[in-house]
Amino acid sequence: MPTLAVNSTHHIFYQEDDFTDPWENKPTIILQHGNGRNSGFWYRWIPFLSSHFRVIRPDMRGVGQSSKFPISQITIEACLEDLVKIITTTCSGPVYFCGESMGGILGIILAAEYPKLIQSLTLIATPVYINDSMKEKYALGYSSRLEAMKSMGIKEWVRQTSIMTRFPPDTDPQLINWYVDEFAKGNPETLIRYSELVSNAHALQFLSKISCPTLAIFPHHGQITDADQERLLQEHIPNIRLSHIPSEYHMIHLTHVAECAELALEHFNAT
């Protein structure tokens, strides 16, 4: 089980998938999951990527198979330090970074602050910030998203918000059930902490510092990644290309796998 020690008692887990020819030294892709999810949520991408690239999928601290961390140690800065350590320890050069939602926010900051580590950046349904409309939707009638999660319980909260914003009505119910069950396996305090981080995040100050080629894959008329988010990315990232997926829902990396993965592969190969 590949892990990276953070200290004497805590580790970060990552999955490694590499079906390239053993005599070739292929570049590495980092696939970073979003808020509350884990490396397993990328499972549909592996057949598309792993015969062309070495793929590393980290679990953020406190979720998946990574150690449970004290809430005070779950911060944006700490998650970035974990990614820097994974890249510098497991990779011989700069990587292709692909992040979905909050994972993309980490990618934005990483590309801005550690440009020598990132060959290219791919953002999938990644908000620059969470707008007030989404904060109200995710509160589900409570005073805040965090209060809703505490009062309703994680499983019921994630089910209702998933049907509302993450998955279209024609989604296979088994996929939604799996998503809800996997999400709800996380420690409730940790999941609430990550929701707090993403609710308060604002990546605008980092956008103009990104120099690597960047691809943003967004749903059409996304509820979370709305027109203002797209405008900010296009105005402030110097070398960006925006592609749209025909969906209004957030989990395009799970519902439109082939379209997203093929766009990402095209971007990796071009950069």
Side-chain angles (χ1 to χ4, degrees), residues 121 210-215 233 236-241 267 271:
L121 177 64
I210 298 174
S211 57
C212 66
T214 301
L215 170 67
L233 291 175
H236 293 280
I237 298 180
N239 186 9
I240 188 169
R241 179 168 64 92
H267 181 58
T271 57

Side-chain angles (χ1 to χ4, degrees), residues 63 75 83 96 199:
V63 299
T75 64
L83 283 169
Y96 299 101
S199 291

